[in-house]
Amino acid sequence: MTSEWDVTRKTVGTLSIWVGTAALCAPRALPRLLGAAEEGTRTDVLLPLLVRLTAARNIAMGAALLVTPAPQARRTTEVTLLLTALDAAAVLLARRGREVAPRSAVTSLVVLGTAAAGAVRWHRR
């Protein structure tokens, strides 16, 4: 396994853990930061649970990337990127229905584009 791949694996794993931890600790503030309506983030009783469920998944996938032996790390990274792409697609669909702010859609496009570029690059090798 190349050192470049190892750096990528560790970077994606670490970022997943940091984002997951932020969402776990601030389940109302993080969606607001990403463009969710302030009123909804204050009053929606289900929002913290949904954000924390996603946070737990991000933390678990990040930890899996950091502790997975090198031969299995590629598959774990692919699963992480797939989940990231699906998350971004879900936000884009919500934007289409005008359920989230434009800033959320832009953030999602950045995440989706990064995930797609990484997946294409890693599959070429």
PDB file of all heavy atoms in Angstrom, residues 68-92:
ATOM      1  N   THR A  68      -8.451  -0.304  10.390  1.00  0.00           N
ATOM      2  CA  THR A  68      -8.527  -1.415   9.437  1.00  0.00           C
ATOM      3  C   THR A  68      -7.145  -1.719   8.883  1.00  0.00           C
ATOM      4  O   THR A  68      -6.415  -0.801   8.490  1.00  0.00           O
ATOM      5  CB  THR A  68      -9.486  -1.058   8.281  1.00  0.00           C
ATOM      6  OG1 THR A  68     -10.761  -0.796   8.837  1.00  0.00           O
ATOM      7  CG2 THR A  68      -9.593  -2.174   7.277  1.00  0.00           C
ATOM      8  N   PRO A  69      -6.780  -2.993   8.806  1.00  0.00           N
ATOM      9  CA  PRO A  69      -5.498  -3.351   8.184  1.00  0.00           C
ATOM     10  C   PRO A  69      -5.444  -2.877   6.729  1.00  0.00           C
ATOM     11  O   PRO A  69      -6.476  -2.788   6.055  1.00  0.00           O
ATOM     12  CB  PRO A  69      -5.472  -4.880   8.247  1.00  0.00           C
ATOM     13  CG  PRO A  69      -6.480  -5.249   9.274  1.00  0.00           C
ATOM     14  CD  PRO A  69      -7.502  -4.153   9.300  1.00  0.00           C
ATOM     15  N   ALA A  70      -4.259  -2.586   6.265  1.00  0.00           N
ATOM     16  CA  ALA A  70      -4.062  -1.997   4.937  1.00  0.00           C
ATOM     17  C   ALA A  70      -4.821  -2.696   3.806  1.00  0.00           C
ATOM     18  O   ALA A  70      -5.450  -2.026   2.989  1.00  0.00           O
ATOM     19  CB  ALA A  70      -2.572  -1.925   4.621  1.00  0.00           C
ATOM     20  N   PRO A  71      -4.817  -4.010   3.682  1.00  0.00           N
ATOM     21  CA  PRO A  71      -5.516  -4.634   2.551  1.00  0.00           C
ATOM     22  C   PRO A  71      -7.030  -4.388   2.553  1.00  0.00           C
ATOM     23  O   PRO A  71      -7.659  -4.377   1.513  1.00  0.00           O
ATOM     24  CB  PRO A  71      -5.227  -6.124   2.717  1.00  0.00           C
ATOM     25  CG  PRO A  71      -4.033  -6.204   3.587  1.00  0.00           C
ATOM     26  CD  PRO A  71      -4.095  -4.994   4.470  1.00  0.00           C
ATOM     27  N   GLN A  72      -7.619  -4.185   3.716  1.00  0.00           N
ATOM     28  CA  GLN A  72      -9.061  -3.976   3.801  1.00  0.00           C
ATOM     29  C   GLN A  72      -9.446  -2.496   3.809  1.00  0.00           C
ATOM     30  O   GLN A  72     -10.616  -2.153   3.652  1.00  0.00           O
ATOM     31  CB  GLN A  72      -9.598  -4.627   5.066  1.00  0.00           C
ATOM     32  CG  GLN A  72      -9.410  -6.124   5.089  1.00  0.00           C
ATOM     33  CD  GLN A  72      -9.675  -6.692   6.471  1.00  0.00           C
ATOM     34  OE1 GLN A  72      -9.949  -5.959   7.412  1.00  0.00           O
ATOM     35  NE2 GLN A  72      -9.577  -7.999   6.597  1.00  0.00           N
ATOM     36  N   ALA A  73      -8.485  -1.627   3.955  1.00  0.00           N
ATOM     37  CA  ALA A  73      -8.765  -0.197   4.075  1.00  0.00           C
ATOM     38  C   ALA A  73      -9.398   0.370   2.816  1.00  0.00           C
ATOM     39  O   ALA A  73     -10.235   1.269   2.886  1.00  0.00           O
ATOM     40  CB  ALA A  73      -7.486   0.570   4.412  1.00  0.00           C
ATOM     41  N   ARG A  74      -9.032  -0.136   1.665  1.00  0.00           N
ATOM     42  CA  ARG A  74      -9.595   0.372   0.416  1.00  0.00           C
ATOM     43  C   ARG A  74     -11.111   0.164   0.389  1.00  0.00           C
ATOM     44  O   ARG A  74     -11.862   1.058   0.037  1.00  0.00           O
ATOM     45  CB  ARG A  74      -8.928  -0.283  -0.779  1.00  0.00           C
ATOM     46  CG  ARG A  74      -9.351   0.319  -2.089  1.00  0.00           C
ATOM     47  CD  ARG A  74      -8.585  -0.334  -3.238  1.00  0.00           C
ATOM     48  NE  ARG A  74      -8.884   0.375  -4.444  1.00  0.00           N
ATOM     49  CZ  ARG A  74      -8.072   1.216  -5.037  1.00  0.00           C
ATOM     50  NH1 ARG A  74      -6.877   1.443  -4.534  1.00  0.00           N
ATOM     51  NH2 ARG A  74      -8.428   1.822  -6.139  1.00  0.00           N
ATOM     52  N   ARG A  75     -11.575  -1.009   0.752  1.00  0.00           N
ATOM     53  CA  ARG A  75     -13.017  -1.295   0.748  1.00  0.00           C
ATOM     54  C   ARG A  75     -13.734  -0.405   1.776  1.00  0.00           C
ATOM     55  O   ARG A  75     -14.802   0.124   1.500  1.00  0.00           O
ATOM     56  CB  ARG A  75     -13.266  -2.771   1.061  1.00  0.00           C
ATOM     57  CG  ARG A  75     -14.722  -3.149   1.147  1.00  0.00           C
ATOM     58  CD  ARG A  75     -15.499  -2.934  -0.129  1.00  0.00           C
ATOM     59  NE  ARG A  75     -15.002  -3.820  -1.160  1.00  0.00           N
ATOM     60  CZ  ARG A  75     -15.232  -3.676  -2.453  1.00  0.00           C
ATOM     61  NH1 ARG A  75     -15.961  -2.678  -2.889  1.00  0.00           N
ATOM     62  NH2 ARG A  75     -14.741  -4.500  -3.330  1.00  0.00           N
ATOM     63  N   THR A  76     -13.148  -0.228   2.935  1.00  0.00           N
ATOM     64  CA  THR A  76     -13.757   0.626   3.960  1.00  0.00           C
ATOM     65  C   THR A  76     -13.859   2.062   3.455  1.00  0.00           C
ATOM     66  O   THR A  76     -14.859   2.737   3.672  1.00  0.00           O
ATOM     67  CB  THR A  76     -12.940   0.569   5.266  1.00  0.00           C
ATOM     68  OG1 THR A  76     -12.825  -0.796   5.669  1.00  0.00           O
ATOM     69  CG2 THR A  76     -13.585   1.364   6.375  1.00  0.00           C
ATOM     70  N   THR A  77     -12.829   2.533   2.764  1.00  0.00           N
ATOM     71  CA  THR A  77     -12.850   3.885   2.202  1.00  0.00           C
ATOM     72  C   THR A  77     -13.945   4.006   1.152  1.00  0.00           C
ATOM     73  O   THR A  77     -14.667   5.003   1.101  1.00  0.00           O
ATOM     74  CB  THR A  77     -11.489   4.250   1.599  1.00  0.00           C
ATOM     75  OG1 THR A  77     -10.501   4.169   2.624  1.00  0.00           O
ATOM     76  CG2 THR A  77     -11.491   5.658   1.029  1.00  0.00           C
ATOM     77  N   GLU A  78     -14.095   2.986   0.320  1.00  0.00           N
ATOM     78  CA  GLU A  78     -15.145   3.015  -0.699  1.00  0.00           C
ATOM     79  C   GLU A  78     -16.531   3.104  -0.060  1.00  0.00           C
ATOM     80  O   GLU A  78     -17.393   3.852  -0.524  1.00  0.00           O
ATOM     81  CB  GLU A  78     -15.048   1.783  -1.593  1.00  0.00           C
ATOM     82  CG  GLU A  78     -13.833   1.805  -2.497  1.00  0.00           C
ATOM     83  CD  GLU A  78     -13.575   0.471  -3.175  1.00  0.00           C
ATOM     84  OE1 GLU A  78     -14.251  -0.527  -2.848  1.00  0.00           O
ATOM     85  OE2 GLU A  78     -12.690   0.431  -4.049  1.00  0.00           O
ATOM     86  N   VAL A  79     -16.751   2.349   1.008  1.00  0.00           N
ATOM     87  CA  VAL A  79     -18.042   2.397   1.708  1.00  0.00           C
ATOM     88  C   VAL A  79     -18.253   3.784   2.315  1.00  0.00           C
ATOM     89  O   VAL A  79     -19.344   4.353   2.221  1.00  0.00           O
ATOM     90  CB  VAL A  79     -18.130   1.292   2.787  1.00  0.00           C
ATOM     91  CG1 VAL A  79     -19.356   1.482   3.669  1.00  0.00           C
ATOM     92  CG2 VAL A  79     -18.145  -0.077   2.131  1.00  0.00           C
ATOM     93  N   THR A  80     -17.222   4.345   2.917  1.00  0.00           N
ATOM     94  CA  THR A  80     -17.319   5.680   3.492  1.00  0.00           C
ATOM     95  C   THR A  80     -17.675   6.711   2.423  1.00  0.00           C
ATOM     96  O   THR A  80     -18.544   7.566   2.626  1.00  0.00           O
ATOM     97  CB  THR A  80     -15.995   6.075   4.181  1.00  0.00           C
ATOM     98  OG1 THR A  80     -15.720   5.130   5.213  1.00  0.00           O
ATOM     99  CG2 THR A  80     -16.059   7.472   4.776  1.00  0.00           C
ATOM    100  N   LEU A  81     -17.017   6.628   1.276  1.00  0.00           N
ATOM    101  CA  LEU A  81     -17.302   7.566   0.188  1.00  0.00           C
ATOM    102  C   LEU A  81     -18.716   7.370  -0.358  1.00  0.00           C
ATOM    103  O   LEU A  81     -19.401   8.345  -0.685  1.00  0.00           O
ATOM    104  CB  LEU A  81     -16.271   7.412  -0.926  1.00  0.00           C
ATOM    105  CG  LEU A  81     -14.862   7.879  -0.561  1.00  0.00           C
ATOM    106  CD1 LEU A  81     -13.873   7.509  -1.661  1.00  0.00           C
ATOM    107  CD2 LEU A  81     -14.847   9.378  -0.312  1.00  0.00           C
ATOM    108  N   LEU A  82     -19.165   6.145  -0.453  1.00  0.00           N
ATOM    109  CA  LEU A  82     -20.529   5.882  -0.914  1.00  0.00           C
ATOM    110  C   LEU A  82     -21.549   6.495   0.043  1.00  0.00           C
ATOM    111  O   LEU A  82     -22.497   7.163  -0.381  1.00  0.00           O
ATOM    112  CB  LEU A  82     -20.773   4.378  -1.055  1.00  0.00           C
ATOM    113  CG  LEU A  82     -22.206   3.979  -1.385  1.00  0.00           C
ATOM    114  CD1 LEU A  82     -22.613   4.519  -2.753  1.00  0.00           C
ATOM    115  CD2 LEU A  82     -22.359   2.478  -1.331  1.00  0.00           C
ATOM    116  N   LEU A  83     -21.352   6.297   1.338  1.00  0.00           N
ATOM    117  CA  LEU A  83     -22.276   6.874   2.326  1.00  0.00           C
ATOM    118  C   LEU A  83     -22.269   8.399   2.257  1.00  0.00           C
ATOM    119  O   LEU A  83     -23.318   9.040   2.360  1.00  0.00           O
ATOM    120  CB  LEU A  83     -21.916   6.397   3.732  1.00  0.00           C
ATOM    121  CG  LEU A  83     -22.188   4.921   4.002  1.00  0.00           C
ATOM    122  CD1 LEU A  83     -21.615   4.513   5.357  1.00  0.00           C
ATOM    123  CD2 LEU A  83     -23.668   4.619   3.932  1.00  0.00           C
ATOM    124  N   THR A  84     -21.103   8.990   2.045  1.00  0.00           N
ATOM    125  CA  THR A  84     -21.000  10.445   1.924  1.00  0.00           C
ATOM    126  C   THR A  84     -21.757  10.923   0.693  1.00  0.00           C
ATOM    127  O   THR A  84     -22.495  11.914   0.745  1.00  0.00           O
ATOM    128  CB  THR A  84     -19.524  10.872   1.840  1.00  0.00           C
ATOM    129  OG1 THR A  84     -18.861  10.446   3.019  1.00  0.00           O
ATOM    130  CG2 THR A  84     -19.388  12.377   1.698  1.00  0.00           C
ATOM    131  N   ALA A  85     -21.605  10.215  -0.413  1.00  0.00           N
ATOM    132  CA  ALA A  85     -22.319  10.585  -1.637  1.00  0.00           C
ATOM    133  C   ALA A  85     -23.828  10.461  -1.454  1.00  0.00           C
ATOM    134  O   ALA A  85     -24.590  11.325  -1.910  1.00  0.00           O
ATOM    135  CB  ALA A  85     -21.847   9.711  -2.800  1.00  0.00           C
ATOM    136  N   LEU A  86     -24.275   9.410  -0.781  1.00  0.00           N
ATOM    137  CA  LEU A  86     -25.709   9.244  -0.540  1.00  0.00           C
ATOM    138  C   LEU A  86     -26.253  10.333   0.378  1.00  0.00           C
ATOM    139  O   LEU A  86     -27.366  10.843   0.171  1.00  0.00           O
ATOM    140  CB  LEU A  86     -25.987   7.859   0.044  1.00  0.00           C
ATOM    141  CG  LEU A  86     -25.788   6.693  -0.927  1.00  0.00           C
ATOM    142  CD1 LEU A  86     -25.889   5.373  -0.182  1.00  0.00           C
ATOM    143  CD2 LEU A  86     -26.779   6.762  -2.078  1.00  0.00           C
ATOM    144  N   ASP A  87     -25.478  10.717   1.380  1.00  0.00           N
ATOM    145  CA  ASP A  87     -25.889  11.814   2.262  1.00  0.00           C
ATOM    146  C   ASP A  87     -26.051  13.105   1.467  1.00  0.00           C
ATOM    147  O   ASP A  87     -27.034  13.834   1.624  1.00  0.00           O
ATOM    148  CB  ASP A  87     -24.864  12.037   3.372  1.00  0.00           C
ATOM    149  CG  ASP A  87     -24.873  10.946   4.427  1.00  0.00           C
ATOM    150  OD1 ASP A  87     -25.848  10.164   4.474  1.00  0.00           O
ATOM    151  OD2 ASP A  87     -23.902  10.872   5.202  1.00  0.00           O
ATOM    152  N   ALA A  88     -25.077  13.394   0.625  1.00  0.00           N
ATOM    153  CA  ALA A  88     -25.129  14.612  -0.176  1.00  0.00           C
ATOM    154  C   ALA A  88     -26.311  14.571  -1.141  1.00  0.00           C
ATOM    155  O   ALA A  88     -27.005  15.582  -1.320  1.00  0.00           O
ATOM    156  CB  ALA A  88     -23.814  14.789  -0.933  1.00  0.00           C
ATOM    157  N   ALA A  89     -26.571  13.429  -1.749  1.00  0.00           N
ATOM    158  CA  ALA A  89     -27.709  13.305  -2.662  1.00  0.00           C
ATOM    159  C   ALA A  89     -29.027  13.538  -1.928  1.00  0.00           C
ATOM    160  O   ALA A  89     -29.942  14.173  -2.469  1.00  0.00           O
ATOM    161  CB  ALA A  89     -27.691  11.929  -3.325  1.00  0.00           C
ATOM    162  N   ALA A  90     -29.125  13.052  -0.702  1.00  0.00           N
ATOM    163  CA  ALA A  90     -30.343  13.262   0.084  1.00  0.00           C
ATOM    164  C   ALA A  90     -30.575  14.745   0.349  1.00  0.00           C
ATOM    165  O   ALA A  90     -31.711  15.232   0.274  1.00  0.00           O
ATOM    166  CB  ALA A  90     -30.256  12.490   1.402  1.00  0.00           C
ATOM    167  N   VAL A  91     -29.515  15.475   0.633  1.00  0.00           N
ATOM    168  CA  VAL A  91     -29.657  16.919   0.875  1.00  0.00           C
ATOM    169  C   VAL A  91     -30.050  17.627  -0.416  1.00  0.00           C
ATOM    170  O   VAL A  91     -30.875  18.549  -0.411  1.00  0.00           O
ATOM    171  CB  VAL A  91     -28.370  17.511   1.485  1.00  0.00           C
ATOM    172  CG1 VAL A  91     -28.452  19.024   1.577  1.00  0.00           C
ATOM    173  CG2 VAL A  91     -28.127  16.915   2.857  1.00  0.00           C
ATOM    174  N   LEU A  92     -29.481  17.195  -1.530  1.00  0.00           N
ATOM    175  CA  LEU A  92     -29.842  17.810  -2.818  1.00  0.00           C
ATOM    176  C   LEU A  92     -31.326  17.588  -3.135  1.00  0.00           C
ATOM    177  O   LEU A  92     -31.999  18.487  -3.642  1.00  0.00           O
ATOM    178  CB  LEU A  92     -28.961  17.251  -3.931  1.00  0.00           C
ATOM    179  CG  LEU A  92     -27.508  17.717  -3.912  1.00  0.00           C
ATOM    180  CD1 LEU A  92     -26.696  16.979  -4.957  1.00  0.00           C
ATOM    181  CD2 LEU A  92     -27.434  19.226  -4.117  1.00  0.00           C
TER     182      LEU A  92
END
